């Protein structure tokens, strides 16, 4: 891939496709992680003397018109605050943008345009025509073949990979290509089905695969435990059993919790009861791992040469069920090996437990992170490589 350092930006019209798809509540950005990650690239282009346009999507609005609820206005405000300069948000930009060298403008949500999702080539060409140079830096959207990603890259006069995208790919490569051993992956979340291909890809790479959340429940059932009224996927029990066998066959392991925290209702005020695994009552649900399991799994994580973390271990948003995820988050932070984390829930947990500065790399991506781990080729990266 061509990188930003191989392109002369001075006096050029530079379009940066970033992923500023930040969570917004009541018109306020609630996590600025993605915006902060985009700053070095924006500063680099401005310092080089470029006329800078930043493009992003936000949420999943209906195409074909403006919708205040999906406006990038809160992002423009946050970006301005972080850069210490005002950032103009341009509502109608597809037919041309006025911007001078040294100036910065943010283009309104690219998903308002008809044809974005379908990767319409006419639309992609018009986007490409706005600039002399495209800096594609939206790793978190690299798994989407849309007009402002794959299409735009293919039609740009000059396209290069941005520094954030390069860092994301290098970190994933470091964790996956020839990891320091032991390699430990932590995969949490509600469903085996949504992470099945990730689990399958990882089982061949890791020494220990720690599963959490609803995913762990399906594995517990596969291992012969009664999970009471817990959420699990019946259809995937055989698949989970097969993964356990595959791990054993290659000398790896999927360590399951020996104790769990349960509740009789899924509620933020629910009271936690510690149970040995397999002793869960039929009206109870497992909402976190127990203290003994947290200690054991944390020791595995701390001793790792490489840790790849996606997904929480329990319902960490509820006060009584945060401790499993917190203990593991602390263990990732304490680990002296290379640690990499990604995904929206994971980032929320990292922020909640204040461990961000002790994790080697935190990806801005969710879906793209998982697809990369699965070994899939991401359309935008493919286009950049071509
Ligand atoms: C994300 O948040 O995962 C990326 O910004 C991509 O957004 P999308 O899932 O709506 O395409
Ligand atoms: Mg997504």
């Amino acid at each position: 891939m061509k990188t930003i350092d191989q392109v002369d930006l001075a006096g050029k019209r530079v379009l940066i496709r970033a992923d500023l798809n930040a969570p917004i509540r009541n018109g306020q950005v609630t996590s600025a992680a993605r915006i902060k990650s985009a700053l070095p690239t924006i500063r680099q282009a401005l310092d080089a003397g470029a006329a800078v346009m930043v493009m992003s999507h936000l949420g999943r609005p209906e195409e074909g018109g403006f919708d205040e609820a999906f406006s990038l206005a809160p992002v423009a405000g946050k970006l301005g605050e972080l850069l210490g300069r005002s950032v103009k948000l341009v509502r109608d930009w597809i037919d041309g943008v006025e911007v001078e060298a040294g100036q910065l403008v943010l283009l309104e949500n690219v998903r308002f345009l008809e044809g974005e999702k379908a990767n319409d080539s006419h639309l992609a060409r018009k986007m490409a025509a706005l600039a002399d140079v495209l800096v594609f830096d939206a790793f978190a959207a690299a798994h989407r073949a849309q007009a402002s990603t794959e299409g735009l890259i293919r039609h740009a006069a000059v396209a290069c990979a941005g520094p954030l995208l390069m860092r994301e790919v290098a970190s994933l490569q470091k964790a996956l290509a020839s990891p320091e051993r032991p390699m430990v992956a932590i995969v949490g979340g509600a469903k085996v089905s949504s992470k099945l291909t990730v689990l399958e890809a990882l089982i061949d790479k890791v020494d220990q695969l720690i599963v959490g959340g609803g995913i762990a429940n399906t594995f517990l059932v596969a291992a012969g435990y009664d999970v009471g009224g817990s959420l699990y996927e019946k259809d995937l029990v055989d698949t989970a059993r097969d993964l356990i066998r595959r791990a054993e066959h290659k000398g790896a392991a999927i360590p399951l919790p020996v104790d769990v925290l349960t509740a009789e209702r899924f509620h933020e005020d629910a009271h936690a009861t510690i149970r040995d695994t397999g002793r869960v009552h039929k009206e109870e649900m497992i909402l976190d791992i127990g203290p003994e399991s947290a200690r054991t799994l944390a020791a595995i994580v701390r001793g790792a040469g490489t840790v790849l973390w996606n997904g929480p271990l329990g319902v960490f948003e509820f006060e009584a069920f945060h401790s499993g995820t917190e203990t593991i988050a602390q263990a990732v932070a304490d680990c002296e090996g290379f640690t990499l984390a990604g995904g929206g829930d994971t980032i929320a947990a990292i922020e909640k437990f204040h461990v961000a500065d002790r994790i080697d790399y935190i990806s801005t991506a969710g879906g793209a992170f998982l697809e990369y781990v699965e070994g899939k080729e991401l359309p935008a990266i493919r286009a950049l490589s071509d």
Side-chain angles (χ1 to χ4, degrees):
M1 287 188 282
K2 186 183 273 180
T3 64
I4 197 170
D5 304 309
Q6 295 165 324
V7 184
D8 179 20
L9 302 180
K12 299 275 171 58
R13 293 173 63 84
V14 173
L15 175 59
I16 301 174
R17 171 54 163 113
D19 187 326
L20 305 180
N21 185 19
I24 288 169
R25 200 183 297 150
N26 301 325
Q28 297 291 324
V29 171
T30 55
S31 166
R34 281 183 171 170
I35 303 172
K36 285 184 185 156
S37 298
L39 296 177
T41 308
I42 295 171
R43 286 203 187 99
Q44 186 174 346
L46 285 170
D47 290 348
V52 182
M53 295 164 271
V54 177
M55 172 193 277
S56 177
H57 68 282
L58 181 82
R60 294 176 181 171
E62 193 133 350
E63 285 185 3
F66 176 79
D67 178 351
E68 187 72 51
F70 291 95
S71 170
L72 279 168
V75 171
K78 192 57 160 184
L79 188 58
E81 192 185 306
L82 292 167
L83 285 170
R85 59 192 283 167
S86 87
V87 175
K88 185 174 157 199
L89 178 63
V90 184
R91 170 88 65 98
D92 297 305
W93 50 265
I94 191 64
D95 293 312
V97 178
E98 267 178 51
V99 55
E100 275 162 38
Q103 280 186 344
L104 162 70
V105 296
L106 176 64
L107 311 182
E108 186 54 284
N109 193 348
V110 74
R111 287 190 178 167
F112 290 154
L113 294 170
E114 194 94 56
E116 163 64 5
K117 253 196 314 219
N119 197 3
D120 178 71
S121 65
H122 178 70
L123 179 62
R125 255 190 215 104
K126 287 187 84 168
M127 290 176 186
L130 297 171
D132 305 312
V133 177
L134 167 70
V135 178
F136 188 87
D137 213 18
F139 178 73
H143 59 319
R144 303 286 179 227
Q146 298 178 338
S148 70
T149 60
E150 206 263 355
L152 174 57
I153 295 166
R154 295 211 183 270
H155 290 103
V158 177
C160 65
L164 173 64
L165 183 137
M166 296 301 290
R167 272 202 307 283
E168 295 267 10
V169 172
S171 303
L172 276 157
Q173 282 288 348
K174 185 167 175 182
L176 294 168
S178 49
E180 287 292 325
R181 303 267 164 199
M183 165 148 185
V184 177
I186 307 159
V187 179
K191 289 182 173 169
V192 171
S193 51
S194 64
K195 302 250 172 106
L196 185 58
T197 34
V198 177
L199 294 166
E200 281 179 332
L202 285 172
I203 205 75
D204 293 326
K205 293 204 163 77
V206 301
D207 299 293
Q208 307 261 6
L209 177 58
I210 295 173
V211 288
I215 293 175
N217 297 342
T218 304
F219 279 85
L220 286 173
V221 174
Y225 293 105
D226 184 348
V227 296
S230 304
L231 173 82
Y232 79 98
E233 286 164 289
K234 229 191 191 121
D235 316 351
L236 287 160
V237 171
D238 285 342
T239 308
R241 200 173 288 127
D242 186 52
L243 284 167
I244 294 172
R245 259 192 236 116
R246 263 168 69 186
E248 279 166 3
H249 185 72
K250 61 170 288 263
I254 303 179
L256 294 174
V258 294
D259 59 352
V260 293
L261 298 187
T262 66
E264 289 189 8
R265 54 198 187 113
F266 189 88
H267 193 274
E268 56 184 338
D269 300 327
H271 174 78
T273 304
I274 305 177
R275 300 260 182 236
D276 285 341
T277 306
R279 297 269 164 122
V280 178
H281 296 191
K282 70 173 183 306
E283 68 285 357
E284 290 176 341
M285 288 168 284
I286 300 172
L287 297 186
D288 196 5
I289 54 174
E292 173 80 40
S293 308
R295 264 194 299 278
T296 311
L297 297 177
I300 293 173
V301 171
R302 270 195 304 271
T306 305
V307 177
L308 189 139
W309 179 22
N310 174 269
L313 281 290
V315 189
F316 73 94
E317 301 88 339
F318 293 176
E319 204 32 56
F321 303 96
H322 76 278
S323 53
T325 304
E326 177 166 29
T327 304
I328 297 304
Q330 289 296 347
V332 175
D334 291 342
C335 174
E336 280 171 15
F338 179 67
T339 52
L340 169 62
D345 289 340
T346 314
I347 293 171
I350 286 168
E351 285 178 349
K352 176 163 181 171
F353 303 126
H354 308 290
V355 291
D357 51 3
R358 292 198 294 138
I359 293 177
D360 290 305
Y361 192 77
I362 300 169
S363 177
T364 58
F369 179 89
L370 292 175
E371 289 196 21
Y372 196 99
V373 172
E374 284 166 29
K376 283 194 192 146
E377 192 173 47
L378 309 186
I381 297 203
R382 174 69 199 266
L384 285 166
S385 311
D386 290 348

